[in-house]
Amino acid sequence: MRKIGVALTALLVLTGCGENAGEGGLKDAMAAVSGDGPAAAYFEYGEPAWWRDLGVKAGAEQARRWLPASVSGLGSLATAAAALPEATGMTPTAGTRAISIGVPPQQAFRFDGDVDADAVRKKLAALGAKPREMGGHDGLSFSPGDEIDLSRAIVPGVTNQLNQVVVTDSLVATASAPDPLTSVLGGETTLADKPAHAAMATCLGDVAAATIMTPSPPSGTVTLYGVGLRRPADLNDRPVNVICVLPAASATADVERALTTRLTSTGTYGKHAPEIAHDRVSSDDHTVLRAVLTLNDTTNALFANQMLVRGDLQTLITS
């Protein structure tokens, strides 16, 4: 995306004249993966191109607080992102978007953008990957199944996430096993076709980083959790986090009461978000409860994501 495009998008967001909530980035990404697989349990999304165009990079002091958001969508590969280009030819942070789906061992990753496919293939082949067809796609694989060879250290922190790889001039898809790899490449029914997930995308709106997941273990109280980071128009903006909760129909009143009385700017969370607003979002017969948090100048830009990963959000609602 060119910088003029970033400026125009920011203007549209500020004036309220942008695309419909959830359309474009997030919803398009959900439409790119299968809804009948691991993405239904966990879906993480990020836009490296957006953050690059804003000037978010290592060493840029003004951009430091936004750095965690710049690797959103990489999942467990985020910590290895800096080492991947030299070792594998893959440069996830140079793409337009990043997607990770599923939970171990059913994980898969996808990076869209301009790809030097020949370079990736050569480096993987040199590491021992063999040509193999996976779900109708030509790819490379270190083993035909989901075996983990701990003696093969491609880069620190990477075990079998790169076991199966499909690479083209416009994307790289990787997974530990063929089935999740096929899922991250799409399907007849996509994640965007699932009404509950589509409602969650509508609730999150125009975000450049997001995570949507089911409760684990399954809950009779909540169907889906979603958190996201709204696009900042400028590096000096205060981060705006969005929390969306899709409750079970029978638990809507209790979940809404917990959110609106416990997640407030006058309580514990006010130290991080001096402005917290609550509302409801309706979509396809689903009612999603939303909290919009405007963070202070020091809180991590992915504060809502931290709440979800640590289990704080789940505890707040169900305790």
Side-chain angles (χ1 to χ4, degrees):
M1 183 185 295
R2 294 174 299 173
K3 292 195 175 182
I4 188 171
V6 174
L8 177 60
T9 302
L11 177 62
L12 292 174
V13 171
L14 290 171
T15 59
C17 298
E19 60 197 9
N20 293 330
E23 298 291 344
L26 175 59
K27 209 160 193 178
D28 277 359
M30 294 169 66
V33 303
S34 174
D36 297 323
Y42 181 91
F43 179 86
E44 183 182 328
Y45 169 72
E47 293 182 14
W50 176 266
W51 302 108
R52 285 198 311 273
D53 284 346
L54 276 185
V56 177
K57 59 183 178 180
E61 183 65 28
Q62 187 182 17
R64 179 180 297 178
R65 74 177 310 181
W66 304 103
L67 281 173
S70 70
V71 294
S72 181
L74 302 187
S76 63
L77 292 179
T79 56
L84 283 174
E86 182 176 353
T88 68
M90 303 176 190
T91 311
T93 55
T96 55
R97 70 181 179 192
I99 299 169
S100 61
I101 66 170
V103 295
Q106 295 295 308
Q107 279 185 306
F109 311 86
R110 173 172 173 165
F111 323 121
D112 293 82
D114 292 332
V115 177
D116 188 342
D118 287 340
V120 174
R121 294 189 188 103
K122 288 177 181 177
K123 285 181 177 288
L124 292 179
L127 291 168
K130 305 296 182 184
R132 184 170 288 114
E133 182 176 305
M134 294 166 283
H137 302 278
D138 292 329
L140 298 110
S141 175
F142 288 97
S143 63
D146 56 1
E147 298 88 349
I148 301 176
D149 182 358
L150 295 179
S151 67
R152 184 182 61 248
I154 297 175
V155 296
V158 174
T159 52
N160 68 330
Q161 296 101 315
L162 305 183
N163 194 20
Q164 318 283 343
V165 179
V166 167
V167 56
T168 72
D169 291 336
S170 60
L171 69 85
V172 176
T174 80
S176 58
D179 286 347
L181 181 71
T182 301
S183 292
V184 84
L185 288 168
E188 290 185 9
T189 301
T190 74
L191 195 63
D193 295 325
K194 299 175 74 71
H197 283 80
M200 187 62 67
T202 298
C203 176
L204 289 170
D206 191 26
V207 291
T211 298
I212 300 172
M213 59 181 282
T214 57
S216 181
S219 165
T221 303
V222 173
T223 302
L224 279 176
Y225 290 101
V227 294
L229 172 63
R230 292 267 173 88
R231 302 174 191 273
D234 185 272
L235 292 178
N236 293 318
D237 283 2
R238 287 194 294 168
V240 176
N241 285 189
V242 185
I243 294 175
C244 295
V245 180
L246 177 59
S250 60
T252 298
D254 289 339
V255 173
E256 186 170 36
R257 185 179 306 110
L259 270 177
T260 56
T261 60
R262 298 172 182 171
L263 184 58
T264 69
S265 58
T266 57
T268 301
Y269 294 101
K271 294 183 295 184
H272 305 283
E275 300 173 33
I276 300 177
H278 292 272
D279 66 349
R280 287 183 169 201
V281 178
S282 297
S283 174
D284 290 332
D285 297 326
H286 290 284
T287 298
V288 188
L289 307 177
R290 178 166 61 187
V292 179
L293 291 69
T294 302
L295 306 182
N296 62 25
D297 292 331
T298 58
T299 295
N300 189 296
L302 293 181
F303 177 70
N305 188 75
Q306 291 180 323
M307 288 182 63
L308 182 65
V309 171
R310 291 194 303 248
D312 295 346
L313 179 58
Q314 296 88 320
T315 300
L316 179 147
I317 289 171
T318 60
S319 63

Tab-separated table of all heavy atoms in Angstrom, residues 6 91 165 168 254 309 314 316:
chain	number	residue	atom	x	y	z
A	6	VAL	N	-2.495	5.092	2.582
A	6	VAL	CA	-2.615	5.119	4.036
A	6	VAL	C	-3.270	6.413	4.491
A	6	VAL	O	-4.168	6.429	5.335
A	6	VAL	CB	-1.221	4.962	4.690
A	6	VAL	CG1	-1.333	5.149	6.196
A	6	VAL	CG2	-0.643	3.595	4.368
A	91	THR	N	9.802	-13.870	4.217
A	91	THR	CA	9.866	-12.604	4.950
A	91	THR	C	8.450	-12.171	5.287
A	91	THR	O	7.854	-11.317	4.612
A	91	THR	CB	10.574	-11.522	4.112
A	91	THR	OG1	11.801	-12.042	3.603
A	91	THR	CG2	10.872	-10.291	4.960
A	165	VAL	N	4.924	-26.847	3.350
A	165	VAL	CA	4.964	-25.483	2.809
A	165	VAL	C	4.432	-25.467	1.380
A	165	VAL	O	4.795	-26.312	0.564
A	165	VAL	CB	6.401	-24.920	2.811
A	165	VAL	CG1	6.423	-23.513	2.214
A	165	VAL	CG2	6.988	-24.910	4.216
A	168	THR	N	3.910	-19.633	-3.571
A	168	THR	CA	3.674	-19.087	-4.909
A	168	THR	C	4.280	-17.695	-4.954
A	168	THR	O	4.893	-17.233	-3.983
A	168	THR	CB	2.173	-19.006	-5.237
A	168	THR	OG1	1.573	-17.952	-4.465
A	168	THR	CG2	1.460	-20.324	-4.919
A	254	ASP	N	-26.290	-11.833	31.711
A	254	ASP	CA	-25.243	-11.987	32.720
A	254	ASP	C	-23.888	-11.533	32.186
A	254	ASP	O	-23.121	-10.870	32.897
A	254	ASP	CB	-25.153	-13.445	33.166
A	254	ASP	CG	-26.350	-13.871	34.010
A	254	ASP	OD1	-27.030	-12.978	34.571
A	254	ASP	OD2	-26.597	-15.085	34.100
A	309	VAL	N	-5.206	-13.503	26.024
A	309	VAL	CA	-4.193	-14.561	26.097
A	309	VAL	C	-3.960	-15.004	27.534
A	309	VAL	O	-3.792	-16.205	27.810
A	309	VAL	CB	-2.880	-14.075	25.450
A	309	VAL	CG1	-1.746	-15.055	25.710
A	309	VAL	CG2	-3.065	-13.877	23.960
A	314	GLN	N	-11.639	-13.736	30.120
A	314	GLN	CA	-12.535	-14.854	30.417
A	314	GLN	C	-12.899	-14.854	31.905
A	314	GLN	O	-14.073	-15.088	32.263
A	314	GLN	CB	-11.858	-16.179	30.045
A	314	GLN	CG	-11.556	-16.332	28.562
A	314	GLN	CD	-10.206	-15.768	28.123
A	314	GLN	OE1	-9.788	-14.703	28.596
A	314	GLN	NE2	-9.544	-16.484	27.223
A	316	LEU	N	-12.924	-12.270	33.941
A	316	LEU	CA	-13.773	-11.104	34.200
A	316	LEU	C	-15.234	-11.415	33.906
A	316	LEU	O	-16.134	-10.980	34.630
A	316	LEU	CB	-13.283	-9.935	33.336
A	316	LEU	CG	-14.021	-8.605	33.420
A	316	LEU	CD1	-13.049	-7.464	33.218
A	316	LEU	CD2	-15.128	-8.518	32.368
